Amino acid sequence: MKNFIVVLNLIFLATGGWAAAAPDYIIDLRYENRRWIPETIVVPANRRVTVKIVNASHEAIEFESFKLNREKVVGPGETVTITLPALKPGRYDFYDDFHADVPQGTIVAK
């Protein structure tokens, strides 16, 4: 029994723990010159996603997405992060709710 516990502890230490979850998939999204860069982002499906939004403009923006159920105001020069749950395969549009003339962006989960 003692040997079994030692082996179990070695496995635990070697794997980093019992329930070591995969880290979030991190994407960088930049708002500059009245557009999203990039406009289309491909992420792995069924994995949590962290979106780092950088507002490089001189005006406030609002990241908005009905499909993702997210909205976040980002002040000029600010950076914010938004965590999304594991996304099912599909397309998830987002836009700047403060500026209707800015082209929409899309996150594609594959």
Side-chain angles (χ1 to χ4, degrees), residues 5 8 12 15 19 29-30 35 37 50 56 77 107:
I5 293 173
L8 211 49
F12 178 79
T15 61
L29 181 61
R30 187 175 183 85
R35 58 179 277 213
I37 303 169
T50 296
I107 295 175

Side-chain angles (χ1 to χ4, degrees), residues 26-65:
I26 300 171
I27 57 176
D28 292 318
L29 181 61
R30 187 175 183 85
Y31 182 87
E32 188 172 17
N33 297 322
R34 300 187 72 77
R35 58 179 277 213
W36 298 104
I37 303 169
E39 286 184 15
T40 302
I41 301 165
V42 179
V43 301
N46 303 311
R47 188 165 169 196
R48 270 183 20 160
V49 175
T50 296
V51 182
K52 184 172 96 174
I53 303 169
V54 176
N55 181 359
S57 75
H58 298 289
E59 55 192 343
I61 62 170
E62 183 177 15
F63 175 90
E64 174 100 28
S65 176

